[in-house]
C-alpha cells in the first residue's frame, strides 16, 4: 500500500498545487477586479495602491497564477506565504489570538499551504518540471562520431 501511495505522490502534490494556486488566484482576482463576490464579498474592488490590501491582491493574483502553472513554484510560494504571514500577524492577529476569533483562518491556511510548496516543489503537471527536462536534454553531450 505504501509503495502505491508513494508512486502517486508527485501527482497528488501537483493536484494540491493546482488547487491552492487557483484558490489563491481567485482571492486576488476578486479584490482587484470585483469578480467572484469582489473585495471582502462586497462586489467592489480595492483602490489601486492602497496599503496593504491592493499589494496583497496583486501578490495573490500573480503568485497564484505562478503556483497554479507550476512556474517558479518555490519562489512564488515563498513570496505568497510571506504575504499571508504578514496579513495574519498585522491585520488579523491584533484583533484576537486565535484565527477562528480574528477572521484569519484563510490567511493562516494559505500561509502554511504555500510554505509546504516551498519545500516540496511543484510536483507533477508543473511547467517547472517540463522546463527542467528541456534544459537537461539540451545539456546532454553530443554523441561521439563513429570512425569506420
Amino acid at each position: 500500500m505504501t509503495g502505491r501511495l508513494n508512486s502517486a505522490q508527485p501527482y497528488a502534490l501537483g493536484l494540491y498545487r493546482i488547487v491552492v494556486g487557483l484558490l489563491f488566484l481567485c482571492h486576488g482576482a476578486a479584490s482587484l477586479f470585483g469578480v467572484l463576490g469582489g473585495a471582502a464579498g462586497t462586489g467592489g474592488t480595492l483602490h489601486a495602491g492602497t496599503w496593504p490590501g491592493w499589494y496583497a491582491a496583486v501578490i495573490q493574483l500573480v503568485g497564484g497564477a505562478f503556483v497554479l502553472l507550476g512556474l517558479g513554484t518555490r519562489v512564488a510560494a515563498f513570496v505568497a506565504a510571506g504575504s499571508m504571514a504578514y496579513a495574519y500577524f498585522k491585520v488579523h492577529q491584533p484583533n484576537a489570538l486565535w484565527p477562528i476569533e480574528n477572521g484569519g483562518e484563510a490567511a493562516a491556511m494559505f500561509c502554511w499551504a504555500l510554505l509546504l510548496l516551498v519545500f516540496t516543489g511543484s510536483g507533477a503537471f508543473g511547467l517547472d518540471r517540463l522546463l527542467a527536462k528541456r534544459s537537461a536534454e539540451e545539456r546532454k553531450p553530443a554523441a561521439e562520431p563513429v570512425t569506420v
Side-chain angles (χ1 to χ4, degrees):
M1 177 80 167
T2 301
R4 292 175 105 181
L5 290 174
N6 286 344
S7 66
Q9 186 176 11
Y11 304 104
L13 185 57
L15 291 173
Y16 171 83
R17 174 189 47 79
I18 289 168
V19 169
V20 169
L22 179 63
L23 292 174
F24 202 60
L25 181 144
C26 286
H27 273 271
S31 297
L32 292 174
F33 306 123
V35 297
L36 305 169
T42 64
T45 61
L46 298 174
H47 295 290
T50 55
W51 179 257
W54 186 82
Y55 293 95
V58 170
I59 291 172
Q60 290 167 0
L61 183 72
V62 175
F66 275 85
V67 169
L68 172 67
L69 296 172
L71 183 62
T73 303
R74 291 176 192 256
V75 173
F78 182 75
V79 171
S83 76
M84 289 296 96
Y86 178 88
Y88 182 76
F89 287 110
K90 287 301 227 181
V91 177
H92 298 286
Q93 200 274 328
N95 298 327
L97 177 63
W98 296 102
I100 195 73
E101 295 176 311
N102 63 31
E105 300 99 332
M109 287 295 291
F110 273 124
C111 180
W112 286 105
L114 290 160
L115 191 63
L116 179 64
L117 290 172
V118 172
F119 291 97
T120 61
S122 63
F125 317 120
L127 293 179
D128 285 343
R129 199 173 257 202
L130 179 67
L131 295 174
K133 279 183 185 178
R134 277 198 184 153
S135 64
E137 288 173 3
E138 290 173 2
R139 282 185 261 139
K140 284 184 182 177
E144 294 286 324
V146 179
T147 56
V148 181

